[in-house]
Amino acid sequence: MSKKKVVLAYSGGLDTSIIIPWLKENYDCEVIAYVADVGQGENMEEVAAKAVKTGASKVVVKDLREEFLTEYVWKCLQAGAVYEHKYLLGTSMARPVIAKHQVEVALAEGAEAVAHGSTGKGNDQVRFEHAYQALAPQLQIITPWREWTLKSREDCIDYAEARNIPITASRVKIHSRDRNLWHLSHEGGELENPANGPLDTTWQISNSPQTAPDSVEEVEIGFEKGAPVSVNGRALSAMQLLEVLNEIGARNAIGRIDLVENRFVGMKSRGCYETPGGTLLLSAHRELEALCLDRDLSHFKQHIGLKYAEIVYNGLWFTPLRASLDAFVASTQEGMTGTVKLALYKGNIGVSSRKSENSLFNADLSSFTMGESYDQKDAAGFIKILSLPARARVLNANAKKNNAVEVTK
């Protein structure tokens, strides 16, 4: 009788490195390691070899980088989705595309179960497991962090060392990091106390303002229907475009944030994020919308962006609400074609230029010079109608006062 097959979302980090032997010890199963490339910057062949060395019967590697950007990241960008003022959702956006393909691998391999290395305190467990259940509810879900007796990352290191599993985490200044094309996150170590500032060594991919260039660098980003398509006039694929912007943003100290956030599971957590290219894209996209969206649509869309961010952060990507919001957002992006030039200097982003054939900015209307397109006398009627409720309240209050005076007489 063949052993049960479990497909594990495998990264080669501390947690998933020890999960392969743990699954085999506790479930007597065959473990298929599924490796998703969303731009971690790692050698996938080395990651796959490590999985086999630690007991995986098979490794499936999928390059999801372009799909991750065009089908997930760009949708959030167009929606203006930012969680709690700062977080650009780097990890949150990656989990659904990883989980989607993990389910596809499990079904193709005839596996009975899927597993992940997320802890029982974090958001990722929700993101993975909601996706599994939305896409293939018949699959069993195995969550080692909610089952084993290991309580800390130090325990995990002990477990790995006892089984000669190679790891990169250390006992000193332990950081948990997640990287993809969009961002690099940092948790743990000195960051577990929000009274501590991040160490200089915590940041990995971006310059500090102190080490950034001493001159302004300009970068022009082109959009078609809200999707970024070019940098400095050069058409690029999604992956190429973000890699270029990551380099530009990182050297100019763009995209560092330090955030105390509210996790979906209830507690507050603290993390630092580096999102250089994403910060440039969000800034440019906002400027283009400021030029091309009318007032009421622009203001209403801000509410949609907040809700979209909450949905993605909470792991509810595969829901009718998110799909329906996509339809609304797509309609708002029909006219978002144009270019925005940003001026970068030591962590600051200025705007040098905004251009679009669909611009609603009318110089004749907006200029201080009085033109024929706007009759100032019309404003009197507008303001009088607008002020009608205010006048009515005052008139009503005065009438009551006068009546009271008459009664006392």
Side-chain angles (χ1 to χ4, degrees):
M1 184 176 179
S2 60
K3 287 187 176 182
K4 178 179 185 177
K5 291 182 180 179
V6 179
V7 175
L8 168 67
Y10 181 81
S11 67
L14 174 60
D15 296 348
T16 57
S17 293
I18 65 173
I19 286 175
I20 291 178
W22 183 89
L23 285 171
K24 297 178 72 174
E25 291 170 13
N26 290 271
Y27 281 85
D28 189 28
C29 61
E30 175 186 341
V31 180
I32 299 171
Y34 153 70
V35 182
D37 185 358
V38 286
Q40 301 93 308
E42 297 177 348
N43 185 315
M44 292 296 119
E45 291 183 0
E46 292 179 359
V47 174
K50 182 179 179 181
V52 172
K53 185 177 180 181
T54 52
S57 63
K58 182 177 182 179
V59 180
V60 178
V61 179
K62 289 204 171 189
D63 186 346
L64 308 180
R65 291 174 293 178
E66 199 74 14
E67 179 182 349
F68 169 51
L69 294 180
T70 59
E71 298 300 318
Y72 295 81
V73 175
W74 284 184
K75 288 181 184 294
C76 291
L77 172 66
Q78 291 169 321
V82 177
Y83 186 72
E84 297 189 342
H85 308 293
K86 293 182 180 180
Y87 178 41
L88 303 193
L89 300 166
T91 300
S92 310
M93 295 184 293
R95 295 307 183 240
V97 69
I98 293 171
K100 172 191 169 187
H101 285 272
Q102 183 181 3
V103 166
E104 291 177 359
V105 170
L107 297 178
E109 296 290 336
E112 292 83 6
V114 287
H116 62 78
S118 306
T119 72
K121 282 188 174 182
N123 299 305
D124 280 345
Q125 60 181 332
V126 183
R127 295 164 185 158
F128 275 114
E129 293 176 42
H130 186 278
Y132 298 155
Q133 295 183 55
L135 300 173
Q138 72 274 23
L139 292 172
Q140 178 188 356
I141 300 171
I142 301 174
T143 54
W145 266 105
R146 300 205 298 259
E147 298 179 33
W148 61 25
T149 58
L150 306 177
K151 301 296 183 184
S152 66
R153 295 183 67 78
E154 288 80 4
D155 288 346
C156 293
I157 292 173
D158 291 339
Y159 186 97
E161 290 177 348
R163 289 159 181 78
N164 295 316
I165 299 170
I167 56 173
T168 57
S170 69
R171 298 178 187 277
V172 181
K173 298 177 183 176
I174 297 176
H175 285 102
S176 175
R177 291 187 167 99
D178 179 78
R179 184 172 187 173
N180 57 47
L181 283 169
W182 188 247
H183 87 160
L184 173 60
S185 67
H186 315 274
E187 292 181 328
E190 83 284 356
L191 302 178
E192 290 188 350
N193 184 348
N196 295 332
L199 301 172
D200 290 341
T201 54
T202 299
W203 308 106
Q204 299 287 298
I205 61 175
S206 59
N207 278 336
S208 68
Q210 292 79 10
T211 59
D214 293 326
S215 58
V216 173
E217 179 174 358
E218 290 190 327
V219 57
E220 184 181 75
I221 303 172
F223 294 86
E224 289 184 7
K225 294 187 176 181
V229 294
S230 67
V231 176
N232 294 330
R234 185 160 63 101
L236 299 168
S237 70
M239 193 167 70
Q240 292 170 333
L241 181 143
L242 188 54
E243 287 175 341
V244 168
L245 290 180
N246 276 336
E247 291 178 6
I248 294 172
R251 69 169 165 260
N252 287 285
I254 302 298
R256 289 184 175 189
I257 69 162
D258 183 341
L259 174 65
V260 175
E261 66 197 66
N262 290 294
R263 286 184 177 174
F264 189 33
V265 293
M267 79 280 288
K268 290 186 182 290
S269 66
R270 192 275 190 93
C272 288
Y273 302 90
E274 294 176 86
T275 319
T279 302
L280 296 179
L281 284 170
L282 184 69
S283 298
H285 187 264
R286 282 175 172 169
E287 294 300 327
L288 186 61
E289 286 196 329
L291 195 65
C292 299
L293 283 184
D294 72 59
R295 181 189 64 192
D296 288 346
L297 183 55
S298 176
H299 290 183
F300 185 78
K301 187 173 178 290
Q302 291 178 39
H303 297 287
I304 299 300
L306 289 172
K307 186 61 181 178
Y308 204 102
E310 183 181 84
I311 289 170
V312 176
Y313 184 85
N314 292 346
L316 306 178
W317 184 274
F318 298 104
T319 58
L321 178 55
R322 198 274 311 161
S324 298
L325 291 181
D326 274 350
F328 169 81
V329 171
S331 71
T332 70
Q333 300 302 294
E334 284 296 320
M336 296 307 110
T337 297
T339 60
V340 176
K341 184 180 289 186
L342 303 175
L344 316 179
Y345 183 69
K346 293 186 177 296
N348 297 296
I349 301 176
V351 182
S352 299
S353 173
R354 312 165 183 85
K355 296 178 183 178
S356 174
E357 293 182 354
N358 301 315
S359 170
L360 298 181
F361 189 92
N362 186 313
D364 184 44
L365 289 173
S366 303
S367 171
F368 281 103
T369 301
M370 305 308 170
E372 297 181 358
S373 300
Y374 184 84
D375 188 342
Q376 296 180 77
K377 295 177 182 179
D378 292 341
F382 167 74
I383 297 169
K384 196 165 187 178
I385 294 297
L386 182 68
S387 305
L388 180 59
R391 294 202 315 275
R393 284 196 301 273
V394 174
L395 292 172
N396 186 50
N398 289 340
K400 288 181 178 180
K401 287 181 181 179
N402 292 334
N403 289 335
V405 171
E406 291 296 327
V407 170
T408 58
K409 288 181 178 178

